[in-house]
Amino acid sequence: MANIFSLKGRALKLNNAADLETHIQPLRDNPDISEIHLEGNTIGVEASAALAKILETKSKLRYANLADIFTGRLLAEIPQALDSLLTALLKCEQLHTINLNDNAFGLNTVEPLRPFLSQHIPLQHLYLNNNGLGPAAGTLVAESLAQLAEKKEQARKAGKEVPHLETVVCGRNRLETGSMGAWVNAYTANSHVKTVKMVQNGIRQEGIAMLLQHGLSACGELRVLDLQDNTFTSVASETLANILPKWPALLDLGVGDCLLGARGGRQLGEALAQGNNTKIEVLRLQYNEIDAKGVQAICDAALSSKAMPRLRRVELNGNKFSEEDPMIEKLQELLSSRKESEGKKYPDLDEEDEDAWGLDELDELDDEDEDEDEDEEADGQEADEVEAEEEKVLKEADEAENEPVSQKQDKEVDELADALGKTELK
């Protein structure tokens, strides 16, 4: 703890250097600081400039939490304050993790992010959650990460030891389908990423399909994928099922509240049953209109001795099946017995944590009759024309998927995004 400096959650209003001085001496005096926690305060332009002069001297800094540090600041203040801090952190050559959650980085204030994100070669873990980016600023962020991959590769060729980008958290940012072409390039370039969380971004089915097929499919080391509260429907659900085998290291799949539908639930279960994702521990599938047949497919995969031998947690609340479904009882028994007999094989988990094991509480199920399944199939047929057109467009881009990132590929993906945008379901 001696090398951690924290002002976390103190609700300080630091306007200038004098305001900062009261609190900053321990940071100034310690050359071995490895972590700073400034979240939950509000830092003005002058205070940021003073803080930056101290931060740039911290050569051993590895982790910087700058979440929620501009509450109440004018939009005109944020770019200048942020620029001071990030310019200083660029000089911290061991800084591998930065948390910028809950700061307002819309298009007008995103510009200072670009030099840092595109040039900070040590960066491994990026947290950009709830920043109000929108598709335009989200595109700029993704482009910066693609440029970062190029910088990292140049440094490796020069003989430097450079880590890969491993974590990208960019949720609640209204990225929408319009920015997905840039994110495809970002993930193709940073193909060693292990954790991707892009929840609640208003991404429609064609954007999700493009992201999965032409971006995340390149990330063979992916361990955590959370795309909850975006829109899949049958278009992207089928793509997900097809891409799953490319992620043998996947531990946690979050696609809750994504409108997978009846067909999507079955496709997911059938894909998991193939046994290509044997490390999966968690399935987050709430509120997806998955019916009894989808549950059957998912449970069949779970009950297979070879398909998902480490599965410990399944979230299924808010779907369309009965809690009395016999498959649910079998799944509950499996997960319960696995916790009892194999709990010690998960050393990082608290055995008392109810959210880490078993089924979630099934208190909002919609137990509808079989007619609903027919309705879902009709919805799937409605999407068939879209899928056919999409398949043609995606096939034309298959060659670009495996090429190195280049201006040519960027152009092809942009054309793909434009074409997919015309296939939107109404």
Side-chain angles (χ1 to χ4, degrees):
M1 295 294 291
N3 293 326
I4 298 176
F5 174 78
S6 179
L7 297 176
K8 179 180 178 180
R10 293 178 57 179
L12 301 173
K13 189 172 184 179
L14 306 175
N15 294 320
N16 50 47
D19 294 335
L20 186 69
E21 196 61 38
T22 308
H23 309 281
I24 211 67
Q25 200 61 39
L27 176 62
R28 181 183 283 115
D29 292 345
N30 188 345
D32 297 322
I33 288 290
S34 61
E35 291 188 23
I36 58 168
H37 292 265
L38 303 177
E39 63 268 37
N41 300 287
T42 177
I43 308 176
V45 173
E46 291 182 26
S48 294
L51 178 59
K53 291 179 180 178
I54 302 171
L55 290 178
E56 66 184 16
T57 67
K58 302 306 169 185
S59 60
K60 296 183 180 180
L61 185 64
R62 298 172 62 81
Y63 178 96
N65 194 323
L66 308 182
D68 189 21
I69 59 169
F70 297 123
T71 298
R73 296 291 167 183
L74 299 174
L75 283 179
E77 292 182 89
I78 296 175
Q80 192 173 340
L82 184 63
D83 183 58
S84 294
L85 296 173
L86 294 184
T87 300
L89 292 177
L90 267 175
K91 299 178 181 179
C92 300
E93 296 185 357
Q94 294 189 39
L95 179 67
H96 57 64
T97 301
I98 187 164
N99 186 332
L100 292 162
N101 293 347
D102 303 318
N103 290 304
F105 298 150
L107 187 57
N108 294 329
T109 56
V110 74
E111 195 60 34
L113 272 177
R114 298 175 70 183
F116 180 84
L117 294 182
S118 61
Q119 298 175 33
H120 190 64
I121 292 174
L123 185 63
Q124 288 178 269
H125 309 289
L126 172 64
Y127 296 86
L128 267 177
N129 205 61
N130 190 32
N131 300 108
L133 293 176
T139 295
L140 296 177
V141 167
E143 289 173 348
S144 297
L145 294 179
Q147 292 164 10
L148 176 65
E150 294 179 6
K151 289 280 186 182
K152 285 176 177 281
E153 190 56 34
Q154 290 169 8
R156 289 189 192 99
K157 289 179 179 178
K160 294 183 179 179
E161 210 171 296
V162 177
H164 294 290
L165 182 66
E166 293 185 12
T167 302
V168 177
V169 177
C170 193
R172 298 184 65 193
N173 270 310
R174 297 183 298 105
L175 297 179
E176 301 178 4
T177 298
S179 71
M180 288 302 102
W183 283 100
V184 162
N185 286 334
Y187 289 125
T188 304
N190 294 282
S191 60
H192 295 274
V193 70
K194 295 178 180 178
T195 296
V196 172
K197 296 186 177 183
M198 300 178 72
V199 305
Q200 199 177 347
N201 270 310
I203 309 170
R204 298 295 301 274
Q205 55 272 12
E206 63 276 3
I208 291 290
M210 178 167 60
L211 179 68
L212 292 172
Q213 174 129 3
H214 293 279
L216 293 174
S217 63
C219 303
E221 300 171 42
L222 196 64
R223 295 180 184 176
V224 177
L225 177 61
D226 194 346
L227 295 174
Q228 295 185 89
D229 202 7
N230 291 291
T231 303
F232 276 55
T233 71
S234 60
V235 176
S237 298
E238 183 174 356
T239 305
L240 175 64
N242 292 335
I243 297 302
L244 270 173
K246 295 181 180 289
W247 302 323
L250 194 65
L251 302 175
D252 189 324
L253 176 63
V255 287
D257 202 11
C258 285
L259 288 176
L260 296 184
R263 181 196 293 190
R266 291 195 292 276
Q267 289 173 326
L268 177 63
E270 290 164 0
L272 292 170
Q274 294 174 14
N276 297 301
N277 305 99
T278 57
K279 294 185 178 181
I280 282 219
E281 297 183 10
V282 180
L283 292 173
R284 308 182 192 279
L285 308 172
Q286 294 186 335
Y287 302 98
N288 268 311
E289 300 188 9
I290 297 173
D291 65 2
K293 291 182 180 178
V295 168
Q296 169 104 33
I298 292 163
C299 290
D300 283 346
L303 293 166
S304 166
S305 60
K306 295 182 180 180
M308 292 187 286
R310 291 184 58 80
L311 186 67
R312 57 178 170 82
R313 174 71 172 176
V314 181
E315 298 177 358
L316 283 169
N317 194 29
N319 284 296
K320 294 186 174 183
F321 61 88
S322 169
E323 188 174 359
E324 281 73 43
D325 190 308
M327 295 303 297
I328 289 297
E329 184 177 353
K330 290 181 181 179
L331 182 59
Q332 287 173 322
E333 290 174 356
L334 169 72
L335 299 178
S336 178
S337 64
R338 187 167 288 169
K339 178 182 178 182
E340 292 292 326
S341 63
E342 302 179 29
K344 292 182 180 178
K345 294 183 180 179
Y346 305 80
D348 297 330
L349 291 180
D350 180 359
E351 289 189 39
E352 302 303 317
D353 183 0
E354 294 183 2
D355 291 335
W357 295 92
L359 277 176
D360 57 336
E361 187 174 352
L362 302 177
D363 58 348
E364 295 186 27
L365 295 177
D366 187 359
D367 182 16
E368 303 203 6
D369 57 35
E370 291 301 316
D371 290 340
E372 288 299 318
D373 186 47
E374 295 176 7
D375 290 341
E376 287 293 342
E377 293 301 326
D379 289 341
Q381 291 170 7
E382 182 182 343
D384 282 345
E385 292 182 8
V386 175
E387 292 181 60
E389 183 177 351
E390 182 188 27
E391 183 179 356
K392 178 176 178 290
V393 176
L394 291 177
K395 191 175 292 185
E396 292 172 356
D398 278 344
E399 292 181 6
E401 180 182 358
N402 295 317
E403 290 179 0
V405 175
S406 65
Q407 289 183 345
K408 178 176 181 292
Q409 186 190 37
D410 290 347
K411 182 174 182 293
E412 289 175 347
V413 173
D414 288 343
E415 291 173 351
L416 171 62
D418 290 342
L420 287 174
K422 298 173 183 177
T423 68
E424 184 175 354
L425 284 173
K426 301 299 182 183

